[in-house]
Amino acid sequence: MAIVWGRTLVCLADEKISRSMQARREAEEAGQVYSSFMAYDSFMAEEPKWPEDSIFFAIAQRRPPVTRRMSLASASANDIMMLAMDQFSRGIFHMPHAQSSHTHHFHCSSSSHAAESASFSRPKELFTIASEVLNLAERLDSASERQYWASWADSVFNQMKMEVDMDSWRGPITSARGRCWLIMGSAKVDEMESALERGESGVLRSEDAEEAREGLAMAISFFERAKGSSVQSEQEELQSLLAEALLTLANLTIDNNKREELYSRAQAEGGDQVILELEGRARDDGMDYMDES
């Protein structure tokens, strides 16, 4: 039940992000300054129209007005995710593991319980939880929040090494961990973006820049390994993610030779789209990143 509650809260947090993005677009179209209260008002104003034979209709009829989704409506997506994490922690702790050799001592306990355990897949549940959190992390506005939840998802994916036959799960787990590290490394870049735009190149020697490079290097390593164990239909997505990681790392690299090598690798993985992005960056920065030939 804790896992169900956790996944429900992730869905609510995702809806929070969608409402916020919609409210921001509407504010921009109306020439207004966006405020988080716009998304709050949208969330509070809408009441689902439940069928009269639904249990939720009866609950809504008996609910005092003052309790009308007040706490969740005013909470941020990150606040809701903290509640989800509490539920996931309890749920994961109580998840059944694969039956070990000593379970024959309990053979006579309950045949129904054994059947339930046999149909339950702990690795699948862990992968689903981490994937849903990772998908949400990619959409968060705050760089620090993206980094936090990507790190949380990565810890769950990493835990799966003790739970699964890695020969069958290696590709999905490796690819997912690459996405986690790409988010973590890119989040650091976002925090330094303003300084870089002002031409403060010294920020590239900061501790944050070094952490970003380490995170992006981890992402590249995971993506390269995932390519080796992925099917053909997944190759294009992995190449795109790998190109993004290479390009982002190149922009943080101080050594000219290493930077050019990373750009070349990004072009090889990403093709024309990366070339166009590089040309745009070169024009914006007044630098020639690419060989005119």
Side-chain angles (χ1 to χ4, degrees), residues 15-54:
E15 181 66 15
K16 275 283 187 178
I17 296 172
S18 297
R19 298 289 182 103
S20 178
M21 294 172 65
Q22 180 181 354
R24 183 179 286 105
R25 285 195 300 268
E26 292 174 352
E28 291 174 353
E29 292 172 359
Q32 300 174 342
V33 178
Y34 170 75
S35 168
S36 59
F37 287 107
M38 295 177 177
Y40 171 85
D41 291 341
S42 172
F43 193 85
M44 288 296 290
E46 184 178 322
E47 177 70 27
K49 293 179 174 59
W50 304 108
E52 292 188 7
D53 59 350
S54 168

Side-chain angles (χ1 to χ4, degrees), residues 130-146:
S131 296
E132 290 178 348
V133 173
L134 173 59
N135 291 335
L136 185 137
E138 291 175 326
R139 304 182 64 209
L140 289 165
D141 286 335
S142 168
S144 61
E145 291 175 3
R146 289 198 302 274

Side-chain angles (χ1 to χ4, degrees), residues 185-293:
S186 299
K188 288 291 186 182
V189 176
D190 289 350
E191 293 174 347
M192 296 182 291
E193 189 172 8
S194 298
L196 291 171
E197 289 177 350
R198 292 192 298 268
E200 299 175 8
S201 58
V203 73
L204 295 178
R205 294 179 173 82
S206 66
E207 183 177 342
D208 283 346
E210 182 60 29
E211 289 182 9
R213 286 190 287 266
E214 290 175 357
L216 292 166
M218 286 286 289
I220 291 168
S221 175
F222 278 120
F223 289 141
E224 289 178 334
R225 279 184 278 161
K227 282 179 61 181
S229 58
S230 64
V231 297
Q232 185 62 36
S233 61
E234 299 170 344
Q235 288 289 320
E236 185 174 347
E237 180 183 4
L238 284 170
Q239 285 182 304
S240 177
L241 291 168
L242 178 55
E244 181 182 350
L246 288 164
L247 182 60
T248 308
L249 179 58
N251 292 331
L252 289 179
T253 300
I254 300 172
D255 182 86
N256 289 334
N257 293 331
K258 291 182 179 179
R259 184 170 63 245
E260 291 301 327
E261 178 186 350
L262 290 166
Y263 282 142
S264 297
R265 291 174 61 190
Q267 292 173 44
E269 295 291 343
D272 294 339
Q273 184 60 40
V274 170
I275 293 174
L276 291 173
E277 185 173 350
L278 287 174
E279 289 176 341
R281 289 177 182 273
R283 286 193 298 270
D284 293 341
D285 299 340
M287 299 177 66
D288 184 14
Y289 287 140
M290 302 180 61
D291 190 334
E292 291 295 335
S293 61

